[in-house]
Amino acid sequence: MSPIIFMLIMEYLSCTLKVAASQTEFHYHHGCKEIKRCSLSFVDDLLLSCKADGSSVRRLMAALGHFTVVAGLEINPAKFHLVLAGISEQTSGHLQSLTGFHEGTLPFNYLGPQSSLKNC
């Protein structure tokens, strides 16, 4: 894919996520509320954040679903992880069932184990 097309598609994803975050059912992660940020992109990787509640996670998943339909690009569930903290095991299980993603831990390796960028 050409770099310019990729950038346009990622801009669309960014706008889609901003719309999702503007909904009343969405709650920002406490560290991101002030700057109203729910996503960070790194080359072809994406970091999403929100409060660990069902309505916020559903909003993000709906945005990703919309993006898949429009752009034809899908996230790879094997490479996507939920990093959760300060919630019950019941809530953790519920959020994992909403997303279909496995729970990850911090710190995590960016670009995999062969990378020099470890424990980001």
Side-chain angles (χ1 to χ4, degrees), residues 77-94:
K79 293 183 177 181
F80 209 96
H81 301 281
L82 290 174
V83 179
L84 305 165
I87 61 171
S88 69
E89 285 190 36
Q90 180 182 6
T91 302
S92 174
H94 175 65

Side-chain angles (χ1 to χ4, degrees), residues 7-23 37-39 41 46 60 63 66-67:
M7 291 303 298
L8 290 171
I9 290 170
M10 293 310 290
E11 181 62 24
Y12 183 81
L13 175 59
S14 178
C15 290
T16 301
L17 292 167
K18 285 179 187 176
V19 169
S22 71
Q23 304 298 312
R37 185 61 124 170
C38 70
S39 68
S41 296
L46 181 64
L60 290 181
H66 170 79
F67 177 75

Side-chain angles (χ1 to χ4, degrees), residues 93-111:
H94 175 65
L95 297 178
Q96 288 180 47
S97 70
L98 284 176
T99 63
F101 305 138
H102 297 287
E103 187 170 357
T105 60
L106 289 176
F108 59 86
N109 291 329
Y110 180 68
L111 298 176

Side-chain angles (χ1 to χ4, degrees), residues 37-81:
R37 185 61 124 170
C38 70
S39 68
L40 291 172
S41 296
F42 307 99
V43 186
D44 63 347
D45 290 324
L46 181 64
L47 179 67
L48 300 176
S49 65
C50 67
K51 185 173 181 179
D53 63 40
S55 62
S56 300
V57 171
R58 275 192 291 277
R59 285 257 127 253
L60 290 181
M61 293 305 294
L64 292 174
H66 170 79
F67 177 75
T68 296
V69 169
V70 171
L73 300 172
E74 295 182 19
I75 59 171
N76 183 345
K79 293 183 177 181
F80 209 96
H81 301 281

